[in-house]
């Protein structure tokens, strides 16, 4: 409830009572009363019992040495105080990204249609993919290389993986959001698997929310490294489409499998290991429930997809390359 100030009558002493504001009135007022306040109010804080769990204000001597990973005051609000400016910055990257990928797709589609003789003989999905695979590869290289730069070369998350938000991550998340919108537009004219819709929606919503929340950016940035597997996968698709019936080179299939093993399969465990190494698992789960649920769901589902895709590629490689080579009859003179 509200606290009423007790005004002792002069000349009574102004000794405070616990939990109440004490107003001390001067006995004599100067002629120029506007030059100083008429009353000085002192707020006497309540004494808190030890171990009550209430955070105390840091002293000036210890504020400089306090670690930046225990900001209990930042666990209340969901959105960053400057979320409107962050949204403006996100749109400033994602909209040009979407338009650039879309423009490139249209140009490549017209070129393929004009110069590729077997264009009309392809399935409708393949006609779209002929142009779509190039923006897809560019997007994968941008996200993967810049994320590796932040995590391993800039060491942006060396001491904090919960509150750190590198400036470069805004660009990465903006490009990702713009590409996902562009790619889902192309998917409207195709028949992709439902898993791809789930994947794109997770990446899009995660990128937008991350820019507005400005916390735990280490998780989406780390998973963006997995996009480096896309150019190799697209190269295999081009080989199968442009050279139907021919065997995909062994080196390409092996490179794809290894890229999935090292860049996708271990991404989730690496993110969890990083939080444990920095002793920030508890700090992460003390964030706003939306942050915890959204990040945990994305990490869990994307990790399952990576495991599933890696398992499929491993079975294909073993059955079509390793076992077939062993079954080949020996040459006789």
């Amino acid at each position: 409830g509200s606290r009423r100030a007790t005004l002792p009558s002069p000349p009574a002493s102004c000794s405070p009572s616990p939990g109440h504001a004490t107003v001390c009135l001067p006995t004599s007022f100067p002629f120029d009363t506007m030059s100083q306040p008429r009353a000085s109010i002192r707020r006497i804080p309540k004494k808190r019992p030890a171990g009550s769990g209430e955070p105390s204000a840091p002293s000036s001597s210890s504020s400089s040495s306090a670690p930046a990973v225990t900001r209990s005051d930042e666990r209340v609000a969901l959105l960053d105080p400057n979320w409107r400016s962050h949204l403006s910055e996100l749109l400033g990257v994602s909209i040009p990204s979407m338009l650039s990928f879309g423009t490139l797709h249209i140009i490549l589609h017209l070129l393929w249609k004009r110069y590729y003789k077997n264009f009309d003989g392809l399935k409708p999905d393949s006609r779209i993919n002929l142009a779509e695979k190039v923006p897809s590869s560019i997007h994968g290289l941008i996200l993967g290389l810049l994320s590796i730069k932040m995590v391993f070369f800039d060491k942006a998350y060396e001491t904090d993986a919960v509150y750190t938000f590198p400036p470069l991550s805004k660009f990465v998340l903006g490009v990702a959001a713009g590409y996902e919108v562009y790619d889902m537009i192309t998917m409207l004219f195709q028949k992709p698997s439902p898993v791809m819709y789930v994947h794109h929606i997770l990446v899009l919503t995660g990128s937008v929310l991350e820019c507005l929340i400005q916390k735990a950016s280490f998780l989406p940035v780390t998973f963006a490294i997995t996009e480096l597997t896309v150019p190799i996968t697209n190269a295999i698709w081009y080989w199968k489409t442009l050279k139907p019936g021919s065997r995909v080179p062994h080196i390409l299939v092996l490179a794809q499998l290894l890229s999935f093993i090292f860049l996708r399969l271990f991404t989730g465990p690496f993110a969890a290991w990083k939080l444990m190494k920095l002793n920030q698992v508890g700090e992460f789960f003390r964030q706003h429930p939306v942050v915890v649920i959204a990040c945990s769901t994305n990490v869990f589902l994307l990790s399952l997809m990576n495991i599933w895709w890696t398992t499929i590629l491993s079975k294909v490689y073993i059955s079509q390359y390793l076992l077939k080579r062993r079954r080949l009859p020996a040459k006789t003179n």
Side-chain angles (χ1 to χ4, degrees):
S2 61
R3 298 177 180 175
R4 296 182 179 178
T6 59
L7 301 177
S9 58
S13 62
C14 54
S15 59
S17 60
H20 292 78
T22 302
V23 181
C24 301
L25 299 178
T27 55
S28 62
F29 295 93
F31 178 77
D32 184 9
T33 57
M34 299 299 294
S35 62
Q36 57 183 342
R38 296 187 178 219
S40 59
I41 301 177
R42 293 186 291 120
R43 177 68 64 184
I44 307 300
K46 285 184 177 181
K47 293 183 179 180
R48 301 185 184 275
S52 60
E54 293 289 334
S56 58
S59 61
S60 58
S61 60
S62 62
S63 60
S64 59
S65 60
V69 294
T70 56
R71 307 176 194 173
S72 58
D73 59 324
E74 296 191 14
R75 299 173 193 148
V76 179
L78 170 62
L79 300 180
D80 187 81
N82 300 320
W83 68 268
R84 289 181 178 85
S85 63
H86 299 325
L87 179 60
S88 177
E89 293 175 357
L90 174 67
L91 294 177
V93 177
S94 59
I95 293 178
S97 170
M98 177 189 65
L99 296 177
S100 299
F101 288 129
T103 303
L104 179 60
H105 180 104
I106 294 174
I107 294 174
L108 292 173
H109 179 80
L110 295 176
L111 291 175
W112 279 108
K113 187 175 182 179
R114 180 179 179 85
Y115 294 103
Y116 183 52
K117 297 179 181 179
N118 194 34
F119 182 84
D120 294 332
L122 296 175
K123 296 179 180 180
D125 286 8
S126 298
R127 297 174 194 171
I128 296 175
N129 286 332
L130 276 177
E132 189 270 341
K133 296 300 180 182
V134 175
S136 171
S137 300
I138 295 174
H139 161 262
L141 289 173
I142 292 175
L143 263 63
L145 293 177
L146 291 182
S147 298
I148 285 180
K149 179 179 183 298
M150 282 188 284
V151 175
F152 297 106
F153 290 93
D154 296 344
K155 298 185 181 300
Y157 304 98
E158 189 69 14
T159 58
D160 176 28
V162 175
Y163 299 105
T164 299
F165 194 88
L168 189 57
S169 61
K170 293 182 180 180
F171 178 78
V172 169
L173 295 173
V175 172
Y179 173 81
E180 299 304 326
V181 174
Y182 146 77
D183 207 33
M184 283 193 288
I185 293 175
T186 65
M187 289 165 60
L188 296 176
F189 304 94
Q190 299 172 292
K191 296 179 181 179
S193 64
V195 177
M196 293 307 300
Y197 279 108
V198 175
H199 175 268
H200 281 48
I201 291 174
L202 287 176
V203 175
L204 176 60
T205 56
S207 299
V208 175
L209 285 176
E210 184 55 48
C211 284
L212 301 181
I213 295 171
Q214 301 272 302
K215 290 179 182 176
S217 66
F218 167 74
L219 297 176
V221 168
T222 300
F223 272 83
I225 298 176
T226 63
E227 294 297 324
L228 284 177
T229 64
V230 173
I232 302 176
T233 303
N234 289 342
I236 293 177
W237 183 89
Y238 274 121
W239 186 283
K240 292 181 178 179
T241 303
L242 300 179
K243 293 185 176 182
S246 62
R247 186 180 179 85
V248 179
H250 178 236
I251 187 65
L252 274 180
V253 181
L254 180 60
Q256 183 190 34
L257 177 59
L258 293 178
S259 68
F260 269 70
I261 291 176
F262 291 104
L263 297 178
R264 286 190 179 271
L265 189 61
F266 293 110
T267 304
F270 170 74
W273 170 81
K274 185 70 172 180
L275 287 174
M276 289 187 291
K277 180 185 177 184
L278 296 176
N279 197 24
Q280 285 191 302
V281 176
E283 190 70 17
F284 169 74
F285 283 102
R286 282 191 293 267
Q287 302 304 312
H288 193 281
V290 173
V291 178
V292 176
I293 294 174
C295 290
S296 301
T297 302
N298 276 19
V299 168
F300 177 72
L301 292 180
L302 291 176
S303 297
L304 284 183
M305 293 179 190
N306 291 334
I307 294 172
W308 181 43
W309 290 330
T310 306
T311 302
I312 292 177
L313 290 178
S314 300
K315 291 181 178 179
V316 171
Y317 180 77
I318 293 173
S319 62
Q320 296 186 5
Y321 287 86
L322 293 185
L323 296 182
K324 279 191 176 182
R325 283 192 170 189
R326 293 180 179 178
R327 293 172 184 172
L328 288 177
K331 293 183 179 181
T332 57
N333 295 328

